[in-house]
Structures are given as C-alpha cells and as structure tokens.
Amino acid sequence: MISLEVRVARRLTQLPPYLFVEIDRKKREAAARGVDIINLGIGDPDLPTPEPIIQALEAGASRSANHRYPDSEGLGSFRRACAEWYARRFGVTLDPEREVLTLIGAKEGIGHLPLALVDPGDVVLIPDPAYPVYQAGTVFAGGEPYFLPLRRENGFLPDLEAIPEAVLRRAKLIFANYPNNPTGAVAPREFYPRLVEFAARHGIIVAQDNTYSEIAYDGYRPPSFLEVPGAKEVGIEFHSLSKTFNMTGWRIGFVVGHAGVVDALRRVKSNLDSGAFNAVQEAGITALANAEAIAARNSAIYQERRDLLIAGLRSVGLSVESPRATFYVWPTVPEGYTSASFVSLLIEQTGIVCTPGNGFGRQGEGYVRFALTAGRDRLRVAVERMKGALERQA
Ligand SMILES: *Cc1c(COP(=O)(O)O)cnc(C)c1O
C-alpha cells in the first residue's frame, strides 16, 4: 500500500510549535543520561485531588443515569453550584440556566470560543505573553491575532489606548487573564472597570480567564471581572477546577457571563462534543462546596514554596518579583542568556525543567517561567544546583 504524504491544513502550520513538546524532548534526553529531573515546567499541580472529591466521583460513577450522554450545557445541579459559588465568593448573581455553561476544562471553552464569535478577517486582541490557547483558538477560527504587549513597567497590563483605530474597528474579541499566566501579575482594582468601558465603547467582547482566582497569597483575594457593573453586558469569564482543586486530569471547568455569548459557545459545543461526564460534574459540585477550605490549604502550600524559590532565585542573582497569585514565578534570565539558552543550561546542567518565556509570545523573551509544582525539599535542591551551574559559567 502507498502511504500518502500528509499535507496538513494551513491552520496547523500557522501555529507556533506547542512549546511543551520541545521541552519534553530535552527533558527525556537529560533523563536518559541519568540526570535527576526537577520538573517546574508545566502548570500541573503535584498535589493530589482532595479525598471528598474522589469519593463523589466514585459514587457518581456507580449511578447508571450518569452513564448516558450528558447535556451539552452541563448538569443543572453543577451549574447551580457554580452560580452559588460565584454569589458566595464574588457577590455576583448569575442565572444558572442562561449565564453558566459547563466546560470540559477551561481550555476547551477558550479554544472553541472564537469558533462561536469570530469570522475570517475579524481581529482578536491577545496579550503577549499569554496562555497559548487564545492564539490557537483564534487561528483555528480564521481570526487575526493582534498582540497586546504586557510589559513589566506597566505591571504586565495591556495598554488599551495604544491599539490603533483601524485594528479596533475590526476587533471582535479581547482576551484577558488575571491572575496572569505566565507573569504572575494581578489586575489592580481599576483595570476591570477600564476594560468594561473599553469593550462597551468599541463593541468588543471580553473573555477574561480567571483560572487562578483561588491561588493567591498574603491575604490577597483576586476579584472577578463580573463584579464590575456592566461586565455581564460585554463579556464572559472562564473558570477551571484544574488548578484550584488539583484536578487537571479530570477535565472540568465552566464559563459564566453574557447570556448571548454563553449560548453561542453552547451551540458550538453541542456540535463538537457531548459535554463533561456527569459523574465528574457531580464531583465538581463537592469541590465547589468545599472551595474555601481547599483553596486556603493549597495556597498556603504554594506560598511557602514561593517564598523559598523567590529567595533562592534572588540569592543566585536573578531579578524577580514575588507574585501575589498563581503558582508561577517569572524571573528575567541572567545577563548574556536568552530564554532558550538559559532553559537549555538548566536542563542540561541541573535537571531543572522550566519554560522559556518566548514560548508564551515574543514579549516573553528574556524571561523564564517556573511553576511551583514541587515540594520545598526539591526546590531547595533546585536552587543549590542553579547556584552551582551559574558559578561554573562565571
Ligand atoms: C491551566 C490553564 C487553563 C486550562 O485549564 P483547564 O481547565 O485544565 O483546561 C486555562 N487558562 C490558563 C491561563 C491556564 O493556565
């Protein structure tokens, strides 16, 4: 039989290579040489899912009603639990029927959103650096990304007033993400009102990604974009149970806000997937009911790790701010290195895996991202090894 040569669709070739594939290869090479790997590369909690959530899944998995296709909008009971949590946590009122939609992880909803809103030729405003899925979803829908540089001197906030008029006229959608991956930045109080005003003025839909709202430090409580009056009229907010509850493998998240946008995304999903396993949604109800206690426990653990790693990075001469939320640390690379060359040095000489900043966009060049997904003992070892490697280079 002749094996056809596959010429993939242009939309695939338009994407930057998915970053973690390349890092994975280097990691495997180092591991094959016998190097002990300390993986701070991917934002995937090392802590287990809390026991009550697992028990809820076990109970739900035994119920035969749950073995059938789920509804594409999600279980009513899960959507009500999302709305109750929003009321409790943010003081935001949501109609669980029209303003809440279950997702198979936030990534699924983010990736599909442009299919619901964006026509070829429409512009999507995307932060740079950013979670890569904003760009991928845009390109898959035939939209045109326009990148908004996030710079340290601006607190890693986009300069909305610097966007050219011609771009604004074609812009359909803007992504925001605070607390921010990869920079660890948080949105100051005045940012969301500004974003709502900007969106209303230019007729641009806001998609704010609040995946890290529950991982925060020093008493800081990240707000919801929907707390701002008028926000629900211009946009939506994504949430994930992945990072908050150590459930990345379970694939469960949700989106809330503007009923028309939520419905448009539901229509895309009803044609492409058949929703999240009902038993996982039932486990999600248990997670949300215990959100405060679980989030406090996780954040306390990450905060100790943060303090240890920040002190360690500074002691080896890296310039870094201490994040108030997220489990990411975003230092600039030492003098004489690029993001890529510093990541290579670390993998090859220390076994530490981190992510090159430029993998999140051009503005990420000169930074690397460490995820706080290893225990303090391992982080101490990481800092010691880094010190050794940098001294050998000097
Ligand atoms: C991890 C992450 C997501 C995806 O979360 P899932 O619910 O696991 O799909 C979305 N946005 C950001 C910024 C993330 O870091």
Side-chain angles (χ1 to χ4, degrees), residues 114-131:
L115 286 182
L117 300 176
V118 172
D119 283 317
D122 288 346
V123 166
V124 178
L125 306 173
I126 300 173
D128 172 6
Y131 180 60

Side-chain angles (χ1 to χ4, degrees), residues 105-107 110 131 134 177 181 209 211-212 240 242-243 251:
K107 183 180 193 174
I110 292 164
Y131 180 60
Y134 311 137
N177 167 218
N181 173 12
D209 182 351
T211 289
Y212 294 98
S240 170
S242 289
K243 317 290 167 49
R251 310 314 305 132

Side-chain angles (χ1 to χ4, degrees), residues 84-114:
E84 280 162 21
W85 178 68
Y86 244 78
R88 212 163 70 227
R89 168 70 174 85
F90 300 112
V92 170
T93 307
L94 296 166
D95 175 356
E97 291 302 320
R98 298 167 57 251
E99 296 174 336
V100 184
L101 177 67
T102 302
L103 300 173
I104 311 171
K107 183 180 193 174
E108 179 265 301
I110 292 164
H112 282 149
L113 182 69

Side-chain angles (χ1 to χ4, degrees), residues 328-340:
Y328 300 116
V329 167
W330 182 246
T332 48
V333 300
E335 189 79 25
Y337 288 91
T338 63
S339 295

Side-chain angles (χ1 to χ4, degrees), residues 53-322:
I53 303 174
I54 297 171
Q55 283 164 5
L57 175 74
E58 285 171 355
S62 302
R63 260 193 296 284
S64 61
N66 285 344
H67 301 166
R68 312 191 69 184
Y69 281 120
D71 292 330
S72 59
E73 67 269 27
L75 279 179
S77 52
F78 178 72
R79 285 177 287 130
R80 281 193 296 279
C82 296
E84 280 162 21
W85 178 68
Y86 244 78
R88 212 163 70 227
R89 168 70 174 85
F90 300 112
V92 170
T93 307
L94 296 166
D95 175 356
E97 291 302 320
R98 298 167 57 251
E99 296 174 336
V100 184
L101 177 67
T102 302
L103 300 173
I104 311 171
K107 183 180 193 174
E108 179 265 301
I110 292 164
H112 282 149
L113 182 69
L115 286 182
L117 300 176
V118 172
D119 283 317
D122 288 346
V123 166
V124 178
L125 306 173
I126 300 173
D128 172 6
Y131 180 60
V133 185
Y134 311 137
Q135 180 182 354
T138 298
V139 167
F140 284 173
E144 222 177 275
Y146 181 87
F147 293 104
L148 309 175
L150 306 185
R151 300 201 173 92
R152 194 185 214 173
E153 60 269 27
N154 295 333
F156 297 110
L157 297 172
D159 182 355
L160 300 174
E161 301 312 316
I163 305 168
E165 196 50 49
V167 171
L168 290 172
R169 269 198 297 278
R170 290 199 294 131
K172 190 72 192 282
L173 176 64
I174 180 170
F175 281 103
N177 167 218
Y178 296 98
N180 184 258
N181 173 12
T183 67
V186 300
R189 272 283 155 201
E190 64 276 12
F191 178 69
Y192 291 142
R194 244 186 5 239
L195 186 59
V196 169
E197 188 276 325
F198 166 85
R201 179 155 39 103
H202 297 289
I204 298 171
I205 295 161
V206 174
Q208 144 66 13
D209 182 351
N210 215 353
T211 289
Y212 294 98
S213 66
E214 305 314 297
I215 300 176
Y217 311 120
D218 311 319
Y220 174 64
R221 298 282 277 162
S224 161
F225 158 72
L226 295 179
E227 290 174 34
V228 177
K232 216 197 277 181
E233 281 68 51
V234 299
I236 56 172
E237 188 160 74
F238 287 100
H239 271 279
S240 170
L241 277 68
S242 289
K243 317 290 167 49
T244 306
F245 303 110
N246 310 324
M247 292 176 74
T248 47
W250 296 53
R251 310 314 305 132
I252 181 81
F254 61 97
V255 64
V256 296
H258 192 297
V261 178
V262 166
D263 187 59
L265 182 54
R266 183 196 59 76
R267 282 159 60 193
V268 170
K269 285 176 54 56
S270 70
N271 283 285
L272 289 180
D273 64 60
S274 296
F277 183 23
N278 284 340
V280 169
Q281 295 186 68
E282 288 178 351
I285 295 171
T286 299
L288 288 168
N290 295 286
E292 289 74 8
I294 295 170
R297 201 160 64 225
N298 283 341
S299 293
I301 293 169
Y302 291 129
Q303 183 169 319
E304 288 182 345
R305 294 175 177 182
R306 175 200 67 168
D307 292 343
L308 194 156
L309 186 62
I310 292 285
L313 292 175
R314 286 176 179 162
S315 77
V316 303
L318 297 192
S319 163
V320 62
E321 283 167 46
S322 187

